[in-house]
């Protein structure tokens, strides 16, 4: 069965610093991969997705992610973090049943 | 373009009662998904409806059920509520379906269900 692991439960980054959130997946075939962001009390907003093709995908709000099949990873990056980026970030893999399997999430804190 | 809407925003029920949650998908989307986000358990897939039919369900008991109406809106029913059903219930819609490749899912703001 497919699964997603986000090794970091909490991450603290200074405003203006770079960010990398880790995501590892377990899936037999080519995965459909997603990153979502959830602000407190809100639903999930799609940041970016990978279905096929170029392994470096660009998303909204200046985020990007790189699919590395050899490492079974899909890490999310941002070169310069803003205070408004503080939120919960979820990596997800889509399965053949069309459901999304989510990681446990990484809570991002941005300090001044 | 309006996003996914859910009602009510908050719902408080007593153990043993029934809860009904509603979801309206983005216009043109035929698939609706339900997820439960419970504290400590993360986001878990509940149900998927497409073209009025239940296509897939997650590892939840039968007291979690729902339906999709001809206008593609959806209802989630939770019978015989238990304290551990307290959670944020998220609805998502997508263009994806049985005959289409998996597409991204767009989420609503959720319904916060509290069981006392």
């Amino acid at each position: 069965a497919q699964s997603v692991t986000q090794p970091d439960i909490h991450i603290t980054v200074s405003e203006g610093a770079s960010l990398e959130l880790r995501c590892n997946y377990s899936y037999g075939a080519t995965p459909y991969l997603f990153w979502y962001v959830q602000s407190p009390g809100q639903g999930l907003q799609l940041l970016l997705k990978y279905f096929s093709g170029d392994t470096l995908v660009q998303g909204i709000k200046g985020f990007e992610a790189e699919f590395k099949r050899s490492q079974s990873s899909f890490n999310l990056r941002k070169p310069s973090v803003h205070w408004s980026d503080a939120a919960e970030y979820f990596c997800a893999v889509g399965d053949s049943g069309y459901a999304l399997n989510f990681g446990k999430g990484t809570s991002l804190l941005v300090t001044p | 373009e309006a996003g996914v809407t859910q009602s009510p925003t908050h719902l408080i029920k007593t153990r043993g009662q029934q809860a009904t949650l509603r979801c309206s998908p983005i216009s043109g989307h035929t698939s609706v998904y339900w997820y439960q986000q419970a504290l400590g358990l993360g986001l878990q897939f509940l149900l998927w409806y497409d073209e009025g039919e239940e296509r897939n369900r997650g590892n939840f008991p039968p007291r979690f059920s729902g339906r999709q109406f001809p206008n593609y809106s959806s209802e989630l029913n939770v019978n015989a509520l238990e304290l551990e059903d307290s959670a944020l219930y998220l609805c998502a819609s997508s263009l994806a379906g049985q005959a289409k490749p998996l597409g991204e899912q767009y989420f609503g703001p959720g319904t916060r269900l509290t069981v006392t």
Side-chain angles (χ1 to χ4, degrees), chain B residues 51-88:
Chain B
E51 298 285 358
E53 300 286 331
E54 181 181 305
R55 302 296 184 184
N56 194 16
R57 68 180 292 130
N59 188 26
F60 282 84
R63 58 191 187 80
F64 286 85
S65 65
R67 54 181 171 166
Q68 186 178 34
F69 300 98
N71 65 355
Y72 303 113
S73 67
S74 177
E75 198 173 84
L76 174 69
N77 294 294
V78 188
N79 295 317
L81 284 165
E82 300 178 2
L83 296 179
E84 51 265 35
D85 296 334
S86 294
L88 181 66

Side-chain angles (χ1 to χ4, degrees), chain A residues 24-102:
Chain A
N24 294 99
Y25 66 89
S26 172
Y27 193 67
T30 300
Y32 299 109
L33 294 160
F34 307 82
W35 274 100
Y36 284 86
V37 61
Q38 185 179 34
S39 298
Q42 302 296 312
L44 276 69
Q45 182 182 23
L46 178 68
L47 287 175
L48 45 76
K49 63 184 183 288
Y50 173 79
F51 287 172
S52 65
D54 193 348
T55 57
L56 183 64
V57 292
Q58 303 296 321
I60 62 171
K61 303 185 178 186
F63 286 94
E64 67 177 26
E66 186 171 13
F67 170 62
K68 292 186 178 179
R69 184 187 299 276
S70 61
Q71 298 177 20
S72 297
S73 70
F74 188 57
N75 294 347
L76 182 70
R77 301 193 295 246
K78 186 169 185 178
S80 178
V81 169
H82 188 262
W83 63 267
S84 60
D85 293 324
E88 189 91 17
Y89 290 80
F90 293 93
C91 181
V93 60
D95 70 10
S96 57
Y98 294 86
L100 290 177
N101 290 299
F102 286 88

Side-chain angles (χ1 to χ4, degrees), chain B residues 11 18 22 49 54 61 72 78 98 102:
Chain B
L11 190 57
Q18 178 195 33
R22 296 179 177 83
Y49 292 94
E54 181 181 305
Y72 303 113
V78 188
Q98 286 282 59
L102 181 66

Side-chain angles (χ1 to χ4, degrees), chain B residues 7-27:
Chain B
S7 63
T9 304
H10 294 90
L11 190 57
I12 300 174
K13 293 286 185 178
T14 303
R15 189 172 52 187
Q17 287 186 318
Q18 178 195 33
T20 298
L21 290 65
R22 296 179 177 83
C23 171
S24 291
I26 292 172
S27 178

